Amino acid sequence: MASTTMWMMTHPCPSTMAVHIKSPSWCCYASQSVSQSQVAVVNGKTGSRVLDRSEIRFGLPSKGRMSADTLELLKDCQLSVKQVNPRQYVAEIPQISNLEVWFQRPKDIVRKLLSGDLDLGIVGLDTVSEYGQGNEDLIIVHDALEYGDCHLSIAIPKYGIFENVNSLKELAQMPQWTEEKPLRVATGFTYLGPKFMKENGLKHVTFSTADGALEAAPAMGTADAILDLVSSGTTLRENNLKEIEGGVVLKSQAVLVSSRKSLIERKGVLDTTHEILERLEAHLRAIGQFTVVANMRGSSAEEVAERILSQTSLSGLQGPTISPVFCKRDGKVAADYYAIVICVPKKALYKCVQQLRAIGGSGVLISPLTYIFDEETPRWPQLLTKLGL
């Protein structure tokens, strides 16, 4: 479980929670007012900056595994990021004109989408949810880029008073938690954490951060539980912590997100988003798919098609493509064979070859697919509907 850097700004907590401020922990009261400048940051109130520039800005993670995986995905979509100097925070994608790439911390990508300093970005859904706080100006354009998989989850010790606690309901019903002695949760998710606890009926909770890895907080006695991102769960097990039933706050992976204001009001942003979305969709759909080509003797294309469709692994995306293979015999051109082309997922590849052979297929050729373009990417009309266009 990776330790998450906390956003050092207070947020209104649910009124049902008794919250105390203790160094190095923090939290707040629902009755506390928030200054106008804070509201502008927290709620992402946008000014006129979104219209003050002509270039389109695309925010990408600046460091770590998320950054490397994002650049690799874009490269696979023929959208290689060109960075003149690796120390610079600005780059370009030559294939798309008037597009600037800005390398930023994930949480800053969300904040700058809300402030109008960025138009598009790729970050984890957990980051969008934590720092976007449900702001309607944020639009999820693509919700499954298929990397950065993790989930935000509550974890408690396997020992002591928690030994027989295996669900969120059981945790909430423990008599130990009172207004004077609340459940102490170490986390960097200071918006999602209180929101989740309130929605699930845990009234007496206080939140804090911990220096270093959050996983150490329960053993050190500075917290009773932690709320953090989990990938494999190995770090939890190594620190004698366990997840509990009902304790998953959010499942997350990398997403493409945009500003509603930019999509509607800024020239070129919607068209650029469409192109990026199409490239992403075409590549992601092709991952794990293979083109299979084979020759098959038959009396007609229809007869060959009937044989192919009788096999469960040979239907392809919509059905096989069948075309005659012309040969010259005794001075005459004839079509004794037919070439078939189908698309097959990797897991069914060997079974497909076996079935082809069983019905007379020969000369089987297999090659990986790079892109599958639909007539229109399904997420495009969904985006237009969200925008009311």
Side-chain angles (χ1 to χ4, degrees):
M1 178 178 289
S3 176
T4 307
T5 303
M6 189 192 84
W7 179 15
M8 296 302 292
M9 175 171 288
T10 58
H11 312 292
C13 288
S15 58
T16 55
M17 292 186 188
V19 185
H20 310 279
I21 301 175
K22 295 190 287 187
S23 180
S25 64
W26 73 274
C27 208
C28 55
Y29 295 92
S31 60
Q32 287 179 322
S33 62
V34 182
S35 69
Q36 187 61 39
S37 62
Q38 289 174 323
V39 172
V41 174
V42 173
N43 295 329
K45 301 296 184 182
T46 56
S48 61
R49 283 179 291 178
V50 70
L51 301 175
D52 287 345
R53 54 185 167 77
S54 60
E55 73 278 359
I56 299 167
R57 291 180 179 174
F58 189 15
L60 301 182
S62 57
K63 295 179 181 179
R65 180 66 180 270
M66 180 69 81
S67 176
D69 288 348
T70 299
L71 293 177
E72 186 66 26
L73 173 63
L74 292 174
K75 182 180 178 181
D76 289 340
C77 297
Q78 301 299 308
L79 293 173
S80 296
V81 176
K82 184 179 180 181
Q83 194 175 11
V84 177
N85 186 334
R87 294 181 180 271
Q88 290 180 333
Y89 287 94
V90 64
E92 65 175 354
I93 297 177
Q95 293 84 357
I96 301 181
S97 62
N98 201 36
L99 180 68
E100 286 185 352
V101 171
W102 285 82
F103 291 101
Q104 301 285 300
R105 295 183 300 177
K107 62 183 179 181
D108 289 335
I109 290 175
V110 177
R111 289 170 176 169
K112 289 177 180 179
L113 283 168
L114 292 173
S115 68
D117 293 310
L118 292 174
D119 303 303
L120 290 158
I122 291 180
V123 291
L125 180 60
D126 59 293
T127 305
V128 176
S129 303
E130 173 66 18
Y131 296 98
Q133 299 187 21
N135 193 300
E136 293 185 355
D137 188 60
L138 291 176
I139 299 285
I140 303 296
V141 179
H142 197 300
D143 60 352
L145 296 182
E146 299 186 9
Y147 66 95
D149 291 54
C150 60
H151 58 275
L152 180 61
S153 181
I154 294 172
I156 59 176
K158 297 179 179 179
Y159 49 84
I161 61 172
F162 299 102
E163 184 175 358
N164 296 316
V165 176
N166 297 299
S167 70
L168 186 66
K169 182 178 180 181
E170 292 172 350
L171 180 66
Q173 292 174 344
M174 292 178 69
Q176 285 86 347
W177 320 130
T178 63
E179 187 172 353
E180 292 75 25
K181 188 179 179 182
L183 173 71
R184 300 168 302 159
V185 180
T187 186
F189 289 85
T190 55
Y191 169 73
L192 291 175
K195 181 174 180 290
F196 179 78
M197 293 297 191
K198 180 182 178 181
E199 291 172 349
N200 286 276
L202 280 84
K203 296 183 178 180
H204 305 301
V205 185
T206 186
F207 293 87
S208 67
T209 58
D211 293 329
L214 292 181
E215 293 85 1
M220 294 180 69
T222 58
D224 302 303
I226 66 173
L227 176 64
D228 205 0
L229 295 175
V230 180
S231 294
S232 65
T234 300
T235 306
L236 286 182
R237 292 188 292 271
E238 290 177 346
N239 285 274
N240 277 323
L241 298 175
K242 63 182 178 182
E243 294 183 81
I244 54 178
E245 181 184 347
V248 175
V249 178
L250 177 77
K251 292 184 178 180
S252 179
Q253 62 177 297
V255 299
L256 175 65
V257 61
S258 184
S259 159
R260 179 188 299 269
K261 187 178 181 69
S262 290
L263 288 168
I264 294 174
E265 298 185 11
R266 295 207 58 246
K267 182 179 179 181
V269 174
L270 193 59
D271 288 339
T272 296
T273 302
H274 189 196
E275 179 174 346
I276 294 174
L277 180 59
E278 283 215 306
R279 288 174 179 262
L280 289 171
E281 285 269 77
H283 171 65
L284 291 171
R285 191 177 180 197
I287 292 176
Q289 298 285 340
F290 288 78
T291 299
V292 177
V293 181
N295 288 336
M296 189 174 295
R297 189 183 292 274
S299 58
S300 68
E302 290 75 15
E303 186 266 328
V304 170
E306 182 132 2
R307 269 190 281 159
I308 293 171
L309 293 174
S310 68
Q311 304 297 312
T312 57
S313 297
L314 304 181
S315 59
L317 293 176
Q318 280 123 4
T321 299
I322 301 173
S323 55
V325 177
F326 292 99
C327 301
K328 195 168 185 179
R329 297 180 186 276
D330 301 325
K332 294 182 180 181
V333 174
D336 294 334
Y337 282 85
Y338 288 84
I340 67 164
V341 180
I342 57 175
C343 179
V344 178
K346 184 177 182 179
K347 62 183 180 181
L349 196 55
Y350 186 65
K351 185 177 181 181
C352 163
V353 173
Q354 288 179 311
Q355 290 183 349
L356 273 174
R357 287 170 171 169
I359 59 174
S362 62
V364 182
L365 305 177
I366 298 173
S367 57
L369 280 170
T370 306
Y371 306 103
I372 299 176
F373 284 95
D374 286 317
E375 184 176 352
E376 179 59 85
T377 172
R379 285 180 171 84
W380 177 244
Q382 294 173 12
L383 175 61
L384 296 180
T385 299
K386 290 179 183 177
L387 297 173
L389 300 177

